[in-house]
């Protein structure tokens, strides 16, 4: 009858509605899982970028301090050995130790600059280029300072010993120390330039 037909159609429509609703739920659930996976992937990428950025800070400070420590220690050994015979030249021979100590300041400067760069970036906008540029910046400064510290230590040790026997050696030793210190200065300049290459979210 007409009533039975209407009732049957209503049941079939209800079943279709339930089926469509279930399909929409499955689609929505799959989309939600996909979004969660993509968000988790983005968070992992951001964490990796931060890792490289902070690693650059560590490299700048640690390697610069290693060079400073070696240069100071190596030169200090020569000064103490020379001071036994020529105590009047101790103050004059402290120049290598002072120049080696400056290397640690270079690492400190780059570390502070990079820390401000990382801390001033909005959450989620620290891109791979930022992390790589900050890592390379820290390595430039740190390894250059380490190389300069090795040179200053060797030259300072031999120079102060020779200066105790022939004071005319002092000028040549001083020039050599200046050019050795310039290696760290080159690394510092390049590190500052590279640290400015990071991407800012305001430019997107």
């Amino acid at each position: 009858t007409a009533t039975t037909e209407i009732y049957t159609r209503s049941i079939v429509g209800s079943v279709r509605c339930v089926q469509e609703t279930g399909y929409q739920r499955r689609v929505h659930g799959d989309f939600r899982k996909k979004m969660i996976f993509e968000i988790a992937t983005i968070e992992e990428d951001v964490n990796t970028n931060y890792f490289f950025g902070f690693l650059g800070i560590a490299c700048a400070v640690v390697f610069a301090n290693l060079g400073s420590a070696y240069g100071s220690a190596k030169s200090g050994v020569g000064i103490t050995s020379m001071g036994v015979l020529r105590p009047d030249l101790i103050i004059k021979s402290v120049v290598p130790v002072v120049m080696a100590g400056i290397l640690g300041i270079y690492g400190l400067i780059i570390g502070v600059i990079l820390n401000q760069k990382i801390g001033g970036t909005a959450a989620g906008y620290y891109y791979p280029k930022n992390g790589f540029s900050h890592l390379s910046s820290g390595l430039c400064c740190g390894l250059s300072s380490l190389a300069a510290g090795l040179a200053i230590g060797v030259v300072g040790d031999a120079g102060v010993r020779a200066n105790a026997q022939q004071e005319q050696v002092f000028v040549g030793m001083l020039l050599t120390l200046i050019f050795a210190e310039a290696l760290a200065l080159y690394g510092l300049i390049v590190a500052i330039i590279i640290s400015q290459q990071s991407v800012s979210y305001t430019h997107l």
Side-chain angles (χ1 to χ4, degrees):
T1 61
T3 305
T4 304
E5 185 178 355
I6 294 173
Y7 179 73
T8 304
R9 289 181 180 178
S10 63
I11 293 176
V12 173
S14 301
V15 172
R16 289 180 178 177
C17 291
V18 171
Q19 291 178 349
E20 291 178 358
T21 304
Y23 174 75
Q24 292 175 355
R25 289 178 179 176
R26 288 196 300 271
V27 173
H28 180 70
D30 294 339
F31 178 75
R32 183 179 180 183
K33 290 179 181 179
K34 183 179 180 181
M35 289 297 297
I36 293 174
F37 175 76
E38 291 179 353
I39 292 173
T41 304
I42 293 173
E43 290 180 353
E44 291 178 359
D45 293 339
V46 172
N47 292 333
T48 303
N49 300 336
Y50 278 112
F51 169 77
F52 286 115
F54 284 109
L55 183 61
I57 297 177
C59 289
V61 176
V62 171
F63 287 130
N65 287 337
L66 283 175
S68 178
Y70 180 84
S72 300
K74 188 71 173 176
S75 301
V77 171
I79 293 173
T80 53
S81 299
M82 178 273 301
V84 176
L85 300 176
R86 296 293 302 274
D88 57 305
L89 296 177
I90 292 179
I91 301 300
K92 189 178 181 180
S93 301
V94 177
V95 175
V97 178
V98 175
M99 298 184 72
I102 297 175
L103 302 177
I105 299 177
Y106 294 161
L108 175 64
I109 293 172
I110 294 299
V112 171
I113 292 176
L114 296 182
N115 184 61
Q116 291 178 346
K117 291 286 184 180
I118 296 174
T121 305
Y125 290 94
Y126 192 75
Y127 297 101
K129 184 179 180 181
N130 299 51
F132 296 151
S133 64
H134 293 164
L135 175 61
S136 60
S137 176
L139 287 174
C140 282
C141 177
L143 294 179
S144 298
S145 298
L146 178 60
L150 295 175
I152 291 174
V154 174
V155 174
D157 184 18
V160 295
R161 294 175 189 269
N163 185 50
Q165 300 177 5
Q166 179 57 261
E167 294 189 11
Q168 293 182 354
V169 178
F170 181 79
V171 177
M173 178 192 70
L174 186 61
L175 290 175
T176 306
L177 291 174
I178 290 174
F179 283 105
E181 182 80 17
L183 299 176
L185 186 60
Y186 301 155
L188 174 66
I189 295 173
V190 174
I192 294 176
I193 295 174
I194 295 177
S195 66
Q196 308 299 323
Q197 299 298 317
S198 58
V199 179
S200 176
Y201 73 98
T202 58
H203 297 159
L204 297 178

